[in-house]
Every structure is written in structure tokens, then in C-alpha cells.
Amino acid sequence: MRILLAAANARKGDLDGNLARHLATLEQARVQGCQLAVFPEFSLTGSVDPRVHPGRALAVDAEPVRALLAATSRAGVAALFGIAERDGAAFHITQLYGHDGRLGGAYRKRHLGEGEEGYRPGDGPGVFQLGAAWFGVTVCAEGEVDFPWDDAAAGGASVVCFCSAPGLYGRRTDERGWRDGHDWWLSAGLGDAARHARRLGVPVAMATQAGSTEDEDFPGLAALVSPTGEVARLPDWREGSLVVEAGADVTVHPVREAVRCLLVDHAGRVLLVRYADHRVPHDWWGAPGGGLDAGEDHLAAVRRELREELDRDDLEVGPWIGRRCHTFWLGRWMTQRERWVLGRAEPFEVDPAHVETLAAEAIQELRWWSVAELRAEAPTVTPRDLADLLDRIARGDLPGPDDDLGV
């Protein structure tokens, strides 16, 4: 599992700015080939004292949360992020897990720390699934106790994410002050993470708030601690991100073998299919294609899929231009391994009556897209770098048959 750990500044009361930083980090995680981005405690709302600023807390279905969940679909990267949660008359410190545009779960902090008297402890372990992998969640002051960690390990977690926002006593006014605050968290927070990693035999991935807010400073740390005590981390207290690999395989078996045909016309436009499936909370566009039938080779599958989806059996295809392997949610976790082939054709339209027959396959529409339209309208597409891929093809720089086309 490739993970981006964010040491992020979460400004109090700045939902728009915090959301924008999450979206930018998800895009960074996509570019770096990550499957999960882990954010600190309170990362979306900023640290909140509900006795003073109850209006800064969010319900789980609030618009900023929905916007961030939607972004997990556009980026193809899952996110674990923190909010001060309003739940009726109660408040919780909550880490939300989102993937493929949907809420995958919520963990409410069970062991509260000093100054968190306005919150109610949650119940139930923090263990979530990403493909075939399970990961745990613990929050800040829970580093001092064992039971949240033990529950995560008992739930099969291959890695535990430790999300924190430990406020520093006193404001930081110079570099020495920041270094002292950071050194304290290296001893306390990183020390807790190392203890639990050794005790449970699983790696611990840390994401801590960083920098100054309106009335509080945070020591900033992103780190991965191995069960043997080895540490990879950011160098200091400043905002930043760390990309790590944890020993958890997300691939779901059996892997579904599939093909896609990138059909391009003389003007460089691409023919895409719009999918809308009731099991997924959004539409997306992709190249025609699908899974191989038993005993079928890839080229035969391409020709069959073009016949079934486009009602054409006269299209010339070739060469092969890359591969994709992605794990995704479609009512259940699946992993699909695709081979992509390039096709060339003059523009044509598919009979709407034929398109209607494809509804059972979740196909709703076919459309020719230019690169400019893809960039201007920004639909959810697969692969996410489709516009860049089309630019490469226009330059004659074709990917090789085994090149990775990305998520």
C-alpha cells in the first residue's frame, strides 16, 4: 500500500482553505501513485473547542465533507481525514475514511485528552478496508493507551494510521521554539508510535498537524515507524508530505483481466463511454472495453467489445499502448488488470437505439471528446491523465505496450 502522509496546517474556521489544501494533496498523491492519503486529526475543520465554537463543527454529511469524498473519485485516491463532528447535541473527534466518492467509514476517538471535555468518546474499533488490505486508525491522545491499538490489530490491520493534532503550550516565536516543540513530539508521539509498532508487530503511519493557527501551534510530523523501530520521517516541524510504502497488499484476487480501446479520430478526439452505476455515487468516462471471456485472448476481446458497445466490427486496432491495474469499489472491492490498444477511425455516431441496449452494462452515453474539452469540463475519466496521454499520441510519442498508464 503506497500512502501519502500529510503534515498539514489546518486553520481554524477556514473550511474553504482547508478543503482546497486537501484537494491539492489528493492530486499530489495521485501523481505520486498513492492509493491512500492520510491527514491529521481535525484536518478539515481545524482544531475546535465545541464549548467555544460549536458552529465550526461539521456533520458527517456536510457539504465540505461531501466535496472531499467526491474528490477521492476524481483523484482515484482514498482519503483518511479529520473533523470536529457535530452529531445532534453531541460532538466527536472523528476521522472519516472516503474512497471512490463514498464514505467508507468513521472512527470516533475513544480516549480523550486534556482540553477535550466538550467531546463525547466514541465506541467501536477503527479498522477500515482498502481493496484486500485492512488498516487501523488511532487518534492523538490514544497513543497513551493500548486498547484502540489492540482493537485495530485484532481487526486484522496491516498498518495503523496515527492521526494527531497535539497543541503546543505557548506560541512559537523563533526557530528554537519550533525545534523544542518538535523535539517534544518526537519523544512523545513518535515514541508512542514506536512502542505500539514493536508491541503489535505492525507499522505505524503518523500524520500530525503542522504550523501556526489563530491561537495554537502544532509540531508537525509525518512518519512511518516499522515494527523493528526504523523510522522514515520529514526532517522538521514544517508542513509537508511523505510518501511511504506499508506492507499491505490492496490487490483483490482473482484479478479480472480486461481490455480497453482508445479510439482516436483524425482531429485527435477520443470516443469515450459514460458509465453510471447505481453502486457508485458518480458518473465516469472511459474507453470502450471490458473483461475477457473464458478462453478469450486480448485481441479477440477488443473486437468483441467494439462490436457490442459501438456496433462496429470493421475498426482497425493496434498497437498496444500500455497497461493499467487498479483496485476499486463497485458494490464490492475488485481489482482489474487492463491492456490498452490504440484504434484510429473517422468520426462516426452510434445509433441511439443501440446505446439504449447497453443500459444493463451501466453505459449511458457515447461522446467524442477533444483534449481541450476534457481539460475545460474536467469530467471524471480513466485513466486520470487521459488528456496528457492524448497529447503524447498527437506528438507520435506512443507509450510502450507495458507502460503503466496510471490509475
Side-chain angles (χ1 to χ4, degrees):
M1 184 190 294
R2 191 170 174 85
I3 305 172
L4 183 145
L5 302 172
N9 182 256
R11 298 181 183 126
K12 302 184 181 187
D14 184 16
L15 282 174
D16 290 343
N18 291 339
L19 176 60
R21 284 184 283 277
H22 281 73
L23 301 186
T25 300
L26 280 178
E27 177 62 15
Q28 177 190 351
R30 182 193 68 79
V31 170
Q32 294 186 266
C34 298
Q35 294 141 327
L36 175 66
V38 178
F39 295 90
E41 179 185 25
F42 292 126
S43 61
L44 186 57
T45 59
S47 183
V48 173
D49 186 338
R51 299 166 298 182
V52 179
H53 295 294
R56 291 182 175 179
L58 293 176
V60 169
D61 62 352
E63 174 55 33
V65 174
R66 294 199 304 269
L68 184 46
L69 293 176
T72 65
S73 173
R74 293 194 301 273
V77 179
L80 180 66
F81 60 97
I83 65 169
E85 180 193 353
R86 178 194 289 272
D87 181 19
F91 296 88
H92 297 284
I93 298 172
T94 303
Q95 289 297 120
L96 298 177
Y97 170 48
H99 62 78
D100 297 284
R102 63 186 291 273
L103 181 65
Y107 174 67
R108 296 174 176 91
K109 188 175 182 179
R110 293 187 284 166
H111 176 76
L112 300 175
E114 181 181 351
E116 296 174 346
E117 293 79 11
Y119 287 99
R120 181 179 297 175
D123 54 27
V127 184
F128 302 125
Q129 188 175 11
L130 177 57
W134 294 87
F135 66 94
V137 182
T138 59
V139 181
C140 206
E142 293 182 332
E144 303 166 355
V145 296
D146 290 352
F147 70 91
W149 302 80
D150 293 344
D151 288 349
S158 298
V159 59
V160 177
C161 300
F162 184 29
C163 306
S164 303
L168 297 172
Y169 291 104
R171 302 311 299 264
R172 308 295 104 176
T173 59
D174 55 25
E175 183 167 324
R176 179 174 179 177
W178 280 108
R179 192 171 300 282
D180 287 346
H182 184 65
D183 287 346
W184 163 76
W185 188 237
L186 288 177
S187 174
L190 190 60
D192 286 337
R195 178 175 73 86
H196 292 298
R198 287 193 300 269
R199 189 174 63 85
L200 299 173
V202 297
V204 174
M206 298 183 66
T208 307
Q209 275 202 41
S212 294
T213 63
E214 63 185 18
D215 60 0
E216 197 172 18
D217 298 332
F218 297 91
L221 180 65
L224 181 71
V225 186
S226 78
T228 59
E230 297 175 346
V231 176
R233 67 175 178 88
L234 294 180
D236 56 33
W237 59 89
R238 296 176 176 86
E239 291 182 79
S241 62
L242 179 70
V243 174
V244 300
E245 292 193 1
D249 187 3
V250 304
T251 303
V252 178
H253 295 279
V255 175
R256 182 177 189 248
E257 299 290 344
V259 289
R260 297 285 174 196
C261 180
L262 195 66
L263 201 59
V264 180
D265 73 7
H266 64 274
R269 298 187 308 162
V270 62
L271 182 62
L272 298 180
V273 174
R274 180 170 69 87
Y275 296 92
D277 192 293
H278 70 277
R279 296 166 292 183
V280 180
H282 58 85
D283 296 0
W284 72 100
W285 294 84
L292 272 63
D293 289 339
E296 190 175 39
D297 65 31
H298 288 81
L299 185 56
V302 168
R303 298 195 182 283
R304 175 182 52 76
E305 291 288 345
L306 293 176
R307 184 169 59 253
E308 292 175 358
E309 296 185 4
L310 307 184
D311 199 25
R312 296 286 297 268
D313 58 9
D314 58 343
L315 297 170
E316 294 296 324
V317 297
W320 297 101
I321 56 167
R323 299 176 182 268
R324 290 179 71 229
C325 186
H326 56 122
T327 297
F328 56 97
W329 177 268
L330 194 61
R332 62 183 177 89
W333 285 107
M334 301 173 58
T335 296
Q336 182 160 288
R337 184 163 48 216
E338 301 171 353
R339 290 194 68 189
W340 282 57
V341 68
L342 180 64
R344 300 282 191 178
E346 293 301 311
F348 62 89
E349 298 299 323
V350 179
D351 187 341
H354 179 74
V355 177
E356 289 181 4
T357 69
L358 303 175
E361 304 297 323
I363 293 173
Q364 302 296 317
E365 181 183 357
L366 287 87
R367 172 181 166 182
W368 290 92
W369 289 81
S370 69
V371 173
E373 289 169 336
L374 287 172
R375 291 199 166 108
E377 298 183 35
T380 299
V381 296
T382 57
R384 269 64 178 181
D385 288 331
L386 179 58
D388 293 341
L389 175 59
L390 292 170
D391 282 340
R392 285 189 62 181
I393 291 170
R395 296 194 303 268
D397 178 22
L398 299 186
D402 293 319
D403 285 5
D404 185 357
L405 300 181
V407 69

